[in-house]
Amino acid sequence: MSTNVAYAAPRTRSTASRPGVARPHIEIVSTRDQRRARPRTVYATLVIGGLFAVLLSQLLLSIGLSDGAYAIQSLQQKQRDLGRTQQVLSEDLERLSSPQNLAANAGAMGMVSNATPVYLRLSDAAVLGAPVAASADESAAPLVGNVLLDDVKPAADQIAKANVAAAAAAGADADEIAAVQSGNADSGVLSVPSTNPSTTALASGSSIPAPITR
Amino acid sequence: MTAKSSRRRIAFALLVIVAVLGVFVAKLIDIQVVQAAEINAEAVDKRSIPNTTFGVRGNIVDSDGVPLANSVLRYDVTASPKDIGDFTRTSEKEDGSLVETEVTWPKAAAEIAKQTGQTAAQVRSIIAKALKEDPESNFAYIARGVDTDAYQALVDLHIPGIYFQAVQSRTYPNGQVAGNLVGFVGASGEAQAGLEFTENDCLKASNGFETFERGADGVRIPGSTVTTKKATDGNELVLTIDRDLQWFVQQAVAEQAQAVGAPWGLATVMEAKTGKLLAVADYPSVDPNNVNLTDPEYRGSRVFNSPYEPGSTFKSVTAAALVDAGLADGGTRVLAPYRFIKNGANLRDSFGHEDLPLTLAGVLAESSNTGISILGERLDDEKRFDYIRAFGVGQPTEVDFAGEEAGILPDPASMDVQTKYATTFGQGLATTAAQITSIYQTLGNGGVRMPVRLVEGCRAPDGTWVSQPSGEPRQVISKHAADETVHMMETVVTDGHFGDTLKIPGYRVAAKSGTAQVSDGSGAYGSNYLVSMAGVAPADDPQYVVTISLANPATMKSSAAAAPVFQKIMSQVLKTYRVPPSSVPSPNLPTTY
C-alpha cells in the first residue's frame, strides 16, 4: 500500500540544465507548502472563462427563449384569428346547408317536389303508379323556420341579380359592337374606294379548303 | 503564534459560522415550512396569472353526422361605465398619415348599437343607469353573446372602456329541424331542455385550470405554465334521426295541421326492424336559436310528453291479442250493431248503420267499436291488459326523453264496465305517440318489440362509443299473430273509408286510423277530436312505421285529415330509403261474410 501515495520530488532547478548561466549563490526556495498554496493562473482563467461561458450561454438561451415566447404569442394570436375566421365560415356553411335553405333555393329556381312518385319494376317492366307531372302548387310555403336564415336571401335571387348585371354588361357590349359595326358601315360608305382590300380578304378566305363532312 | 491560540481562533471562527448558519437554517425553516403556504399564495398572486381553460361542449349530430347543435364562441360586450366618455380616435388614412378625430359618447354608442342590434339610446341608457346607481361603477353588460363578425367590428372601433369576454355558446344550424328533440341551453350554458338536458353527461365539457407568468408587456413566459387541471371536451351525441327526412316530416305535418286548423300535430317515422326513430316531428316546432318565439307549451316534444287517448289505432292491439291468444283470426265473424248495450256499458259506432256482418279484418276496416267490443270480450281483462302492458303501454319508452310520460292505464280489476269495453278501442286509457309507434313497430316486426331508440350513442372524439342505449328485444305476440294483424290492417287501406288517399302505388300499405274523442278535462268527452293514422309498409315485409296525430282539427274532424299526410310521409320514406315495391300479392282478407 505504500506505493499508493505519490510524493512529488521538489522541483528544484537542475543546475546542470543551465550551463553557462551565472547563478546567484543563494536562492530563496519556496517550501512545498508555499508552492502548493500559490494560485495557478491557468485554473483561474479556466474557472472565470467557464463562468463567463455559462453566463453567456444563459443570456443567449434566455434571448432565444423570449424570442420564442414572442413567436409563440404571435402564432397563438394568428391561430385565434384563423380559428375565428374558420368558425364564422363553418357557421355560414352549416346554416346555408340546412334543408330550409336548400328547399327555399330549389323553390326559387322553380323546382317542385313530386308527391306522387312512380316506379318502374324491372322484372316485368310494369309501371307502378300513374305518372303525373309535378305542379308548382304542391310545394307550400316553408313552415319549418330557422332564425339563422332570417337575413339570408335565396341564392337564386343573387344569381338572378348577377344574370341581370351580366345581361346589362352584355347589352353594353352589344351596343359597342353595334357602334363599331355602324362605324365600319359609315367608313364603308365614306371610303368607297376601299373595296379592294375586302376583295383580297375574300380571295384569301376562299383559299381556305372547305370542310369535308361525312 | 502558538499552536494553541491558532486552535482557539479556528474554534471561534467555526462557532461564528455555525451560529450564522443556524440563523439561516432557522429562517429557512420558517419560510419553507412554517409560513410556506402563506408566502406561496402571496407569491403566486404577485407573479402568476390564473387562467381557466375551456373545454368545448360536444356536438349533437344526426345519423349521418350532420350537426344539429354546435358549440361556438360568442362574446359578451361589457363596459366600465366610469371610463366611458368622449375620446380621440387615431386612424390611419390611405396615404399612411395619422388623423385624429373627436368621437363623442353618443356617436360611439351609435357605433356600438349598430353592431349589437340595439338602439343607441339603449346603449346610452345602460351606461347612464349603471352610473346612476354607482358613479364609480366599473362593470356593466352592454350586450351578451354577439357573434364573431360583430365582435371583430367592435374591437376595431377602439372605444375606451369597452371590454369583451369570450363565452361558450350553442348554435343550431338547422333551426326548427329537430328543435323539439335537441332542446336548448340557457344563456349561461346550462342545459335546459330536450337531449341537451337528458344527455348532458355525454355532452358536457369540463374546464381546466392553469397558472402562468408573464412579462411586463403581457407575453407569457415560456415554461412558466402550471396546469392544475386539463380541460376536456365533451363527447359527440349521435342521434338516429335523419335530418332531411325530419325536415320533410315536419313540413308535411305543419302543412296539414294548418290546412285543417289543428293547434298541434305529431308525426313519427321508425325503422320497423330496429326500433330506431328516423323522424320525430312536433308542430308547432321550437327554434332552439330563439326559444322565446315559441309558446312554452310547445318547447318540449309532445311525442313523448303528451299522453292522449289513442282511439281506434289501438284496435290493432286488441285484434293482435285475440289472434295471439288463439281466440280469433282475420276471418272471425261478428254481427256488429250500431249501438251496443251490455251490463250498463253503452257505446256506439261513429257512423249510423244496420247490423253489419263483419270479419275481424272488417272490424278494423270499418273501425267498428261495437264489433271490437264484442270480440274483445273473448279475452279475459287481466290477460288483455297483460298484452297491453307487454306492448309498452303504461311505462315510458327506453328513450327516457326529458319529461317523458308513461301514459295512463286503468286497473283491470277495478275499472267499470264502460272502461272495460272502451279500452278495446283505445278510449279510457292514454298513450304517447312514441308508444303507439312502438306498438306498430312490434306488429310490423313479427311480434318482436325493439327498444325505442332516439340516440345512437355517445361517441368520443376518437370515434369509439362511450355509451350506447341498452335494452332487450321482447317477443310480445307470435309472428303469426303479428303478420295476421298486419294483413287485417291492409284492408283499412284497400276497403276502408279513405278511398285512394292511403294507397301508395306499387306498395302494400297496412294502416289503422283513429278518431279519438278528447277529454274536456272534467271527466267527460268534449267536442274535440284527436285524429290519427298509424301504419307500416311494405306490408309483405314491413320496413318502416309512420304515425300521424293531429289534435282538434277545426275543419275536418275525422281521420281523413290524417290520411293524406300519412300517405305523403310514407311515400317519401319508401322513396328515400329505396324500398323495393311489394312483390308478394296481398292476401286480401275478406271484410264481410
Side-chain angles (χ1 to χ4, degrees), chain B residues 196-226:
Chain B
E196 289 270 30
F197 179 74
T198 49
E199 301 291 329
N200 194 37
D201 284 345
C202 169
L203 296 165
K204 73 175 177 206
S206 69
N207 289 343
F209 190 77
E210 62 176 20
T211 58
F212 61 88
E213 292 167 27
R214 64 183 178 192
D217 51 1
V219 172
R220 189 187 278 230
I221 296 172
S224 69
T225 306
V226 179

Side-chain angles (χ1 to χ4, degrees), chain A residues 51-76:
Chain A
L51 204 67
F52 271 104
V54 166
L55 284 175
L56 194 72
S57 56
Q58 177 106 52
L59 187 70
L60 289 175
L61 202 68
S62 76
I63 287 173
L65 266 180
S66 53
D67 240 25
Y70 285 99
I72 289 171
Q73 164 95 348
S74 80
L75 286 175
Q76 278 175 342

Side-chain angles (χ1 to χ4, degrees), chain A residues 65-66 68-73 76 80-81 84-85 87-88 90-104 113-121 128-130 138-150, chain B residues 67 70-75 147-149 151-152 171-177 217-222 243-244 247-248 250-251 254-256 258 283 285 287 289-290 293 504-507 567-568 571-572 574-575 579 581-583:
Chain A
L65 266 180
S66 53
Y70 285 99
I72 289 171
Q73 164 95 348
Q76 278 175 342
R80 259 199 298 278
D81 290 348
R84 269 189 211 121
T85 315
Q87 189 195 303
V88 169
S90 64
E91 266 184 69
D92 272 354
L93 175 68
E94 272 159 17
R95 73 195 168 126
L96 291 179
S97 62
S98 67
Q100 292 98 323
N101 190 49
L102 295 181
S113 75
N114 188 352
T116 52
V118 177
Y119 299 89
L120 175 65
R121 193 162 57 205
L128 307 169
E138 277 170 15
S139 49
L143 297 172
V144 184
N146 187 351
V147 294
L148 299 180
L149 294 171
D150 282 354
Chain B
N70 270 346
S71 283
V72 288
L73 276 185
R74 288 287 182 266
Y75 302 86
D147 65 19
T148 314
D149 287 332
Y151 161 76
Q152 208 62 55
T171 178
Y172 305 88
N174 298 293
Q176 289 185 356
V177 176
D217 51 1
V219 172
R220 189 187 278 230
I221 296 172
R243 177 191 64 168
D244 293 344
W247 170 80
F248 183 90
Q250 277 184 245
Q251 171 78 19
E255 273 174 24
Q256 187 67 4
Q258 292 194 355
Y283 167 81
S285 308
D287 190 333
N289 294 300
N290 188 354
L293 298 175
I504 301 174
Y507 293 94
Q567 194 263 4
K568 188 176 181 182
S571 297
Q572 177 74 11
L574 296 173
K575 197 166 68 174
V579 180
S582 302
S583 48

Side-chain angles (χ1 to χ4, degrees), chain B residues 115-387:
Chain B
Q115 297 302 333
T116 58
Q118 295 159 298
T119 65
Q122 278 174 330
V123 174
R124 285 206 307 275
S125 77
I126 288 167
I127 302 301
K129 199 175 152 222
L131 286 175
K132 198 178 151 197
E133 277 168 17
D134 173 17
E136 283 301 298
S137 164
N138 61 7
F139 186 82
Y141 279 116
I142 289 184
R144 303 193 69 167
V146 304
D147 65 19
T148 314
D149 287 332
Y151 161 76
Q152 208 62 55
L154 286 166
V155 168
D156 293 343
L157 288 174
H158 298 295
I159 299 171
I162 301 291
Y163 303 97
F164 306 94
Q165 288 171 350
V167 286
Q168 294 268 338
S169 181
R170 286 294 250 189
T171 178
Y172 305 88
N174 298 293
Q176 289 185 356
V177 176
N180 297 65
L181 301 175
V182 169
F184 43 87
V185 298
S188 41
E190 75 285 0
Q192 284 186 335
L195 293 166
E196 289 270 30
F197 179 74
T198 49
E199 301 291 329
N200 194 37
D201 284 345
C202 169
L203 296 165
K204 73 175 177 206
S206 69
N207 289 343
F209 190 77
E210 62 176 20
T211 58
F212 61 88
E213 292 167 27
R214 64 183 178 192
D217 51 1
V219 172
R220 189 187 278 230
I221 296 172
S224 69
T225 306
V226 179
T227 306
T228 357
K229 194 170 157 251
K230 261 189 110 120
T232 50
D233 291 347
N235 296 314
E236 189 174 62
L237 184 69
V238 185
L239 307 188
T240 57
I241 295 294
D242 177 323
R243 177 191 64 168
D244 293 344
L245 184 68
Q246 172 79 21
W247 170 80
F248 183 90
V249 173
Q250 277 184 245
Q251 171 78 19
V253 171
E255 273 174 24
Q256 187 67 4
Q258 292 194 355
V260 299
W264 54 272
L266 314 171
T268 60
V269 179
M270 187 189 259
E271 235 172 35
K273 310 274 184 209
T274 61
K276 287 180 184 172
L277 287 161
L278 302 173
V280 175
D282 286 84
Y283 167 81
S285 308
V286 64
D287 190 333
N289 294 300
N290 188 354
V291 295
N292 295 328
L293 298 175
T294 307
D295 194 308
E297 193 186 346
Y298 299 116
R299 288 182 196 167
S301 178
R302 282 180 172 261
V303 170
F304 299 101
N305 300 349
S306 290
Y308 52 83
E309 293 181 60
S312 302
T313 49
F314 206 72
K315 282 178 183 143
S316 320
V317 173
T318 309
L322 284 168
V323 177
D324 187 64
L327 299 171
D329 61 26
T332 304
R333 296 172 175 187
V334 60
L335 193 64
Y338 167 61
R339 189 172 284 281
F340 173 77
I341 299 172
K342 189 178 181 185
N343 302 338
N346 181 348
L347 48 101
R348 60 182 177 82
D349 277 348
S350 60
F351 58 100
H353 58 77
E354 298 291 306
D355 289 0
L356 287 174
L358 296 173
T359 61
L360 180 53
V363 166
L364 293 186
E366 296 293 334
S367 201
S368 168
N369 294 339
T370 57
I372 200 77
S373 296
I374 293 167
L375 290 176
E377 250 186 328
R378 296 185 178 188
L379 191 58
D380 173 56
D381 286 339
E382 290 286 352
K383 269 207 183 116
R384 186 160 58 85
F385 271 66
D386 284 347
Y387 277 113

